[in-house]
Amino acid sequence: MESRNARLFSLIDGKADVVAIVNSGDSHIDHNFKYFTNAKSGVFEGSIAFVGPKKTTVVTSQLEASSLKGLDVNVKVFGTRKQFEKIVGSIASKYKTVGLNFPAVTYEGFRRLKKSFKGKTVDVSEEIAKCRAVKDRDEIRKIGESCRIASRVADRIPGMLSEGMTESQLASKLSMALYEEGSEGPSFSPIVSFGKTTAIPHYFPGKLKLKQGDLVLTDFGGMYEMYCSDITRTYVFGKASERQRRLYETVKASQEAAFSGIKAGASEKDIDAAARSVIDGTEFKGRFIHGLGHGLGRQVHDGGPVLSPRGTGTLEVGMVVTVEPGAYIDGYGGVRIEDDVVVTKSGCRLLTDAKRELTEV
Ligand code: GLY
Ligand code: MN
Ligand code: MN
């Protein structure tokens, strides 16, 4: 299998001689640092990974050096800021052009690099995103396990519902269930909404109480070996009304249209259009107010691909995407169904396997 370094440099195609992944404080750690070093632990504040075509060299503090033991990377340890500058200078000065992941480098991180490196810097963020978008076998295994865990939790949710419970209580129960099913924790703060609040796609759960006839929307995911899952299920607490049922079946049919269109070579915006036209052909026209899906991996929104009207690319074998159509009616409620798939040559393989039929609790 081609190494990640080799794949990145074939995409960079001579634009840079080395790529520097520059971390700052703990809220500005670039996920690419662990992607290219394969480190499983460590935070790596203030560290730099110089990713070359064949090998990666990490400049880090004593604190983090033990997290790099046994990995196929060169390690240079600094104690003081002066030592950091000297080490970075001696590595970077071998190169004419250093590629950077511009959206992730802070101004402070850039200044630290430029103190020791006077050459040219270029943005290689698109090439890095393209490299990350196609997952290797090991990544697909980890995402697959993360998705199976989240699916088991989704199938337990109907059993967690009781009249009068709050959205926050359900968020807490489903987060606990993620740990119980083998996850390292939630991949993002869960969205849990009841009744009218299900019409708000990025809702934050609160004190609203569950009552008979409510739609219940849960959007959550777990982490497994640092890889995310992302799943949404919508249930009805009690017997579904005719309108709720039509809303649910419309969104489900939209998702199925998307599944049918996904395969290597398919255009991102065509898949979105196929799903959108199903909803727009019904009484719920115009109620699908977000994109169809996004890449999934180390991050929940893992860069490309972008399944939306703005999508400009085509799918490739090994990409992992979410497929999450929804329809939302202000003051009434909404339905979203979200699953995760891996793109294959002739179609896609579903990684989440929770029940997708309408569940009345
Ligand atoms: N939780 C937001 C999303 O599904 O993308
Ligand atoms: Mn989601
Ligand atoms: Mn999603």
Side-chain angles (χ1 to χ4, degrees):
M1 201 188 302
E2 194 185 25
S3 77
R4 290 175 187 174
N5 295 45
R7 192 161 80 229
L8 176 62
F9 276 84
S10 78
L11 290 162
I12 283 177
D13 197 21
K15 194 166 138 186
D17 310 309
V18 73
V19 171
I21 304 295
V22 181
N23 285 345
S24 294
D26 80 342
S27 51
H28 294 99
I29 302 296
D30 190 334
H31 283 261
N32 292 299
F33 193 95
K34 284 189 173 166
Y35 177 76
F36 285 111
T37 58
N38 245 323
K40 301 202 174 10
S41 57
V43 179
F44 299 101
E45 282 181 303
S47 304
I48 299 186
F50 286 96
V51 182
K54 293 207 173 99
K55 191 100 180 176
T56 298
T57 299
V58 177
V59 183
T60 193
S61 63
Q62 191 76 54
L63 165 73
E64 305 289 12
S66 54
S67 291
L68 297 166
K69 271 207 181 109
L71 300 175
D72 186 22
V73 293
N74 299 319
V75 182
K76 306 274 183 200
V77 174
F78 65 86
T80 63
R81 190 161 272 245
K82 272 250 157 327
Q83 285 169 347
F84 173 86
E85 285 167 16
K86 200 162 157 227
I87 295 168
V88 169
S90 74
I91 297 170
S93 61
K94 291 190 217 132
Y95 305 103
K96 262 202 15 238
T97 309
V98 172
L100 294 175
N101 186 23
F102 274 20
V105 183
T106 64
Y107 187 56
E108 182 265 342
F110 183 70
R111 282 209 323 195
R112 269 191 306 126
L113 174 73
K114 288 302 278 180
K115 253 191 172 166
S116 335
F117 173 68
K118 305 298 174 201
K120 213 171 113 194
T121 51
V122 288
D123 182 21
V124 291
S125 55
E126 270 189 31
E127 290 81 357
I128 292 175
K130 275 198 183 125
C131 183
R132 287 253 312 261
V134 175
K135 270 63 185 181
D136 59 37
R137 206 175 312 150
D138 189 51
E139 291 183 289
I140 292 170
R141 178 186 67 77
K142 289 171 180 168
I143 300 169
E145 185 53 29
S146 191
C147 289
R148 281 189 289 278
I149 290 169
S151 300
R152 290 199 293 273
V153 173
D155 283 337
R156 283 175 56 184
I157 288 172
M160 296 176 192
L161 302 181
S162 61
E163 194 159 359
M165 81 186 306
T166 66
E167 293 163 336
S168 301
Q169 282 168 339
L170 180 56
S172 147
K173 278 180 194 281
L174 76 82
S175 300
M176 178 112 79
L178 280 167
Y179 289 101
E180 289 165 0
E181 294 294 343
S183 170
E184 289 136 19
S187 52
F188 60 96
S189 199
I191 296 169
V192 174
S193 46
F194 295 162
K196 288 179 189 172
T197 62
T198 57
I200 305 167
H202 278 169
Y203 179 74
F204 281 62
K207 291 194 168 67
L208 191 65
K209 290 186 171 155
L210 182 61
K211 53 184 190 344
Q212 284 295 321
D214 274 352
L215 286 161
V216 173
L217 187 151
T218 59
D219 180 352
F220 64 96
M223 298 295 297
Y224 179 79
E225 295 191 12
M226 288 186 295
Y227 280 82
C228 302
S229 46
D230 186 9
I231 186 169
T232 305
R233 287 293 181 270
T234 310
Y235 315 90
V236 177
F237 187 63
K239 190 154 170 45
S241 69
E242 278 311 306
R243 193 182 189 199
Q244 285 172 334
R245 187 172 289 281
R246 288 198 305 276
L247 183 58
Y248 192 92
E249 295 305 331
T250 298
V251 173
K252 185 160 171 281
S254 163
Q255 196 194 36
E256 276 150 17
F259 289 151
S260 310
I262 295 177
K263 64 174 180 185
S267 115
E268 293 170 347
K269 71 170 172 341
D270 287 354
I271 299 161
D272 177 275
R276 202 167 294 280
S277 70
V278 171
I279 293 174
D280 284 347
T282 70
E283 68 200 280
F284 307 113
K285 182 172 168 34
R287 305 290 187 176
F288 181 10
I289 54 173
H290 52 73
L292 176 69
H294 51 83
L296 180 71
R298 286 178 175 260
Q299 291 167 275
V300 181
H301 291 183
D302 205 49
V306 179
L307 300 183
S308 95
R310 291 179 293 105
T312 54
T314 51
L315 295 179
E316 292 176 45
V317 171
M319 287 179 164
V320 176
V321 287
T322 67
V323 183
E324 49 180 305
Y328 310 90
I329 303 159
D330 275 349
Y332 175 75
V335 167
R336 180 164 65 257
I337 308 174
E338 177 176 24
D339 284 278
D340 308 331
V341 303
V342 57
V343 178
T344 64
K345 207 167 147 213
S346 57
C348 66
R349 181 162 61 84
L350 204 52
L351 298 175
T352 37
D353 57 3
K355 183 183 169 200
R356 281 190 310 117
E357 287 70 37
L358 175 62
T359 302
E360 298 168 295
V361 184

